[in-house]
């Protein structure tokens, strides 16, 4: 092994260790919502939301991008899946930027005082933050006053954050049939 190769390996190891320490130093959120997939965000790629064209209020958003079971990272006590190594690296550099608000629970539900699952295909990015909702019906309520519901959700979050994550499946709700065509994560 050359001296240059050794230096590259040491630098890569140091960078990885620093990234891990910086994650430990950040305030962790409450318990992350993880459904039957075993993954946060139901195995969809959190970075991909920020790369998609967002539709206007009243129109359905593009479907979430499935992550790959072979490309993962740990954050907030959960495993996250990514569509590419590049997206995984972006996430590791700033997980708080890409992880959905309210630990992946429905933003409207938090505004109403409950902690219910978020459907990754019912999403909206507001001021750089990813928010999920539970059903298409709830999206209709949410979109009538997003700013108002965000104020309510923020005031409720302090008391809800420490509560256990929802154990329900958003896929088990009849209103969610047709909100997704591909389950995530996908194979390699």
């Amino acid at each position: 092994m050359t001296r240059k190769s050794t230096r590259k390996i040491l630098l890569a190891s140091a960078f990885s260790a620093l990234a891990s320490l910086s994650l430990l130093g950040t305030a962790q959120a409450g318990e992350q919502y993880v459904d039957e997939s075993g993954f946060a965000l139901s195995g969809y790629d959190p970075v991909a939301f920020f790369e998609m064209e967002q539709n206007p209020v009243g129109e359905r958003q593009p479907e979430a991008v499935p992550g790959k079971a072979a490309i993962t990272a740990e954050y907030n006590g959960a495993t996250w899946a990514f569509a590419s190594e590049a997206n995984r690296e972006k996430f590791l550099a700033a997980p708080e930027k890409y992880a959905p608000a309210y630990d992946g629970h429905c933003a409207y539900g938090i505004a109403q005082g409950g902690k219910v699952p978020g459907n990754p295909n019912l999403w909206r990015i507001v001021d750089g933050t990813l928010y999920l909702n539970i059903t298409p019906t709830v999206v209709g309520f949410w979109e009538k006053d997003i700013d108002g519901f965000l104020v309510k959700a923020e005031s409720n979050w302090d008391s809800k954050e420490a509560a256990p994550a929802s154990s329900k499946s958003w896929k088990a709700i009849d209103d969610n049939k047709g909100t997704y065509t591909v389950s995530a994560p996908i194979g390699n």
Side-chain angles (χ1 to χ4, degrees), residues 127-179:
D127 295 330
T129 300
L130 174 62
Y131 296 95
L132 306 177
N133 284 143
I134 188 170
T135 66
T137 301
V138 166
V139 170
F141 298 138
W142 164 256
E143 289 184 340
K144 287 180 182 174
D145 185 13
I146 294 171
D147 291 337
F149 290 123
L150 284 176
V151 168
K152 288 181 182 177
E154 285 301 310
S155 69
N156 288 340
W157 186 236
D158 284 341
S159 65
K160 294 295 172 193
E161 185 174 9
S166 176
S167 61
K168 298 181 171 134
S169 170
W170 61 268
K171 291 180 181 177
I173 301 169
D174 284 343
D175 197 19
N176 280 325
K177 291 193 181 357
T179 62

Side-chain angles (χ1 to χ4, degrees), residues 40-59:
L41 205 50
S42 302
Y44 292 91
D45 184 333
V47 176
F49 290 97
F50 294 85
E51 297 169 346
M52 289 191 270
E53 185 81 25
Q54 183 167 230
N55 287 330
V57 169
E59 292 182 25

Side-chain angles (χ1 to χ4, degrees), residues 36-87:
E36 66 276 6
S37 72
F39 289 84
L41 205 50
S42 302
Y44 292 91
D45 184 333
V47 176
F49 290 97
F50 294 85
E51 297 169 346
M52 289 191 270
E53 185 81 25
Q54 183 167 230
N55 287 330
V57 169
E59 292 182 25
R60 188 169 172 180
Q61 297 291 34
E63 195 167 322
V65 175
K68 295 179 181 178
I71 305 174
T72 64
E74 299 295 317
Y75 173 70
N76 195 28
T79 303
W80 300 73
F82 302 90
S84 68
E85 289 286 343
N87 280 6

